Amino acid sequence: QNKIHKGRCFCAGKGVDVVLRKNIEKFEIMPPGPSCGKQEIIVTLKSADRKCLNPESKFTQNLIRRVLEKM
Amino acid sequence: QNKIHKGRCFCAGKGVDVVLRKNIEKFEIMPPGPSCGKQEIIVTLKSADRKCLNPESKFTQNLIRRVLEKM
């Protein structure tokens, strides 16, 4: 199972559970593909820092849900 | 209403309704903020081309919904 997550994944480990919403500049979603077998969600903060978000955290799930609500 | 969409928005116009899913490298979501009053969804294709997605298209909404399903 670990094998399919190898390659050029950006995120190592499960990522952070929460970031301060007001510090978010943008977030990126990388669908699974040949270079990385898992979906990755990377947040860019206003400080230009980039962090991987834990896709299983409530915060991350709500962040994505809010995207749909704002559409 | 147009006013709040001015500033440093990346997307002009409503954006494309559909892109070929297999050509998607990643997509970015910019929440509304002081520099752009609307939520923007920008897709980067494997060709490195970047396109704004129409947030109101069925395709875009399904793309985001699938993110949640894969979590």
Side-chain angles (χ1 to χ4, degrees):
Chain A
Q1 198 224 341
N2 233 5
K3 235 177 197 169
I4 62 155
H5 290 179
K6 276 199 189 151
R8 293 159 154 277
C9 292
F10 180 84
C11 302
K14 72 181 183 80
V16 299
D17 287 338
V18 179
V19 295
L20 256 181
R21 200 184 294 274
K22 68 176 168 94
N23 292 345
I24 295 177
E25 178 74 36
K26 67 174 182 183
F27 49 98
E28 286 161 79
I29 295 153
M30 265 93 142
S35 58
C36 176
K38 61 176 175 175
Q39 165 167 274
E40 300 193 292
I41 302 169
I42 299 150
V43 67
T44 303
L45 303 176
K46 283 172 185 159
S47 62
D49 209 12
R50 291 176 95 202
K51 283 176 191 298
C52 291
L53 284 177
N54 178 2
E56 282 168 24
S57 79
K58 271 258 169 304
F59 174 85
T60 309
Q61 289 170 3
N62 283 331
L63 193 70
I64 305 298
R65 250 178 232 122
R66 284 164 69 107
V67 174
L68 284 169
E69 283 163 16
K70 280 193 203 117
M71 276 174 167
Chain B
Q1 197 225 339
N2 235 5
K3 235 177 197 166
I4 61 155
H5 290 178
K6 275 200 189 150
R8 291 159 153 279
C9 293
F10 180 83
C11 302
K14 71 181 182 79
V16 299
D17 287 337
V18 180
V19 295
L20 255 181
R21 200 184 295 273
K22 69 177 168 96
N23 292 345
I24 296 178
E25 177 75 36
K26 66 173 182 181
F27 49 98
E28 287 161 78
I29 294 153
M30 267 92 142
S35 60
C36 177
K38 60 176 176 177
Q39 167 167 273
E40 298 192 292
I41 301 168
I42 299 151
V43 69
T44 303
L45 302 177
K46 283 172 185 157
S47 62
D49 208 13
R50 291 175 94 205
K51 283 177 191 295
C52 291
L53 284 177
N54 178 3
E56 283 168 23
S57 78
K58 270 260 169 303
F59 174 84
T60 309
Q61 289 169 3
N62 283 331
L63 193 69
I64 305 297
R65 251 180 233 123
R66 282 165 70 107
V67 174
L68 284 169
E69 283 163 17
K70 280 194 203 117
M71 277 175 163

